[in-house]
Amino acid sequence: ESGVLPVLLGIIVVAVAFQIANGRFLSPQNLVNLFEQSTIYMLLAIAEIFALLLGEIDLSVGLVMGLGAVVVAELVQPGGLGLPWWVAIILALLICSVVGLIQGTMVARLKMPSFIVTLGGLLILEGVCIIVLGGSLVGIGNSHFNNEVVLYDLFYGKFSTLVSWILLAVVVVVAASWVWLRDSRRRRSGLVAPPASLTALKIVVAVVAGVVVVAVCNVNRAHFGTIEGLPYIIPIVLVVLVAWTFLLQRTRFGRYVYAIGGNPEAARRAGISLPKIRTWGFVLASLTAGIAGVLFASWQVSLTTNVIKDANGYVLLAVAAAVIGGTSLFGGRGKTIHGVLGGLVIGGIYNGLFLLGVTSEWIDVVVALVLLAAGTIDVLSRRGAQPRA
C-alpha cells in the first residue's frame, strides 16, 4: 500500500523530462495554464472514482459534463430564460444528478451492467445536448451581461495577489489545526495514528506546496500588461476535493462504499443496503461531472455541436486519470486525491507533448501506454496482496 507515492514520483518524472526537452514547461505561465487545463480531467476523474470504488464504471461522465455545460449556458442567455447565474448552476447540477439517479437505479435495482447502462446514457445525452443546442452556437462571453461574466470568470477569473496570500494563510491555519488536533486526539485515545513528527512533516509539506502554488500564480504571466493572482478554479477544485474526501473517508456512507467495492456479499451480510449506496454513488458521480460541466462551459466560452462530440473522449481520460492516480479498477481502493493527481499527470503529458509539437494522435498513444502501465501495476498489486493457499 504505497499510497500516492508512485503518482507523485510520476509527476516529478514528467516535469523533469519535459523541462529538459523544453525549458518553458516549468515557467510560471505554463504551470498555471497546465493546472487550469487539468481541472476538467481532475473533476471527471473524481466523478469516475465514485463508480470505480463500487466496482462499477460510468461511461457517461463526459456527456453528463456536456449536459451540465449546455444547460447552464442556455439558462443564462438573455434572449432565453435569462436566469441568474447561481440559479442556472443549481438547476444544471440538479439535472445532472437526476441522470445519475436514473442510471444508478437501473444498475442497483434492475441489476443491469453499469457498462451497458452508462454507454446507453452516453449516447442519449449526446443526442439531448445537440438537440438543446439546436445546431447553433451558445456562448457566455458577452461582457454586457453580468450572469455571463460571472460564469466566464469561474475559469478565467483571478484573485489579487494580496487576496491570494490571505486565502493561503486561512487554508493553512484551518487545515493544519484540524490535522494536528485529529491526530493528537487519536493518540490520546490509544487509536492508530501517525507519530507527531510525521503529522508535522505532512503539515510542512502542505504549507510548502501551497506557498509554491501561490507564488507561481502571483508571477505576472502576461507578455503584455498584467495577468497575475490565484485563479478561481484552484479553490473550486480544492473545495470539491475536501468535501468528497471528507464524505468518503470520514462518514458511514464512505465506509459502506469501500465495503461494497471490496466484497459486496460481505457488505450485504453486514446489513448494508447495496442498492441504496450504489444508487447514491452514481448520483454523486453525475453531480461531480455536472460541476465539471459548469467549468467546461466557462472554459470553452462558446458551445457547439463539435464541442459536445469532443466531450465523448473525456470519459476515457477520466478513467485513465483515476487509475493512473492510484484508484483500483476492481473496486474498494482509491481516494479523491488520486483523481486530482492523475488528472495532473494527464494534463502534464498533454501539455508537455504539445509544447514539443507532437501531434494529438501520438499524445493519445502516450497516454494509453501510461494507462496500461498503471493498470498493470493495479493488477499485480492485487495479485500480490491475495493470501496464498
Side-chain angles (χ1 to χ4, degrees), residues 14 21 97 107 117 136 139 172 192 197 231 240 269 285 316 337 351 365-366:
V14 168
S97 299
V107 172
V117 172
S136 61
V172 164
V192 176
S197 58
V240 174
R269 291 176 179 272
L316 303 179
I337 187 63
N351 181 277
V365 170
V366 173

Side-chain angles (χ1 to χ4, degrees), residues 381-389:
S381 65
R382 285 180 61 88
R383 184 179 300 172
Q386 291 177 353
R388 295 181 179 179

Side-chain angles (χ1 to χ4, degrees), residues 79-99:
L81 294 178
L83 296 179
W85 62 270
W86 58 273
V87 175
I89 291 176
I90 291 174
L91 289 177
L93 296 183
L94 285 175
I95 291 173
C96 291
S97 299
V98 170
V99 172

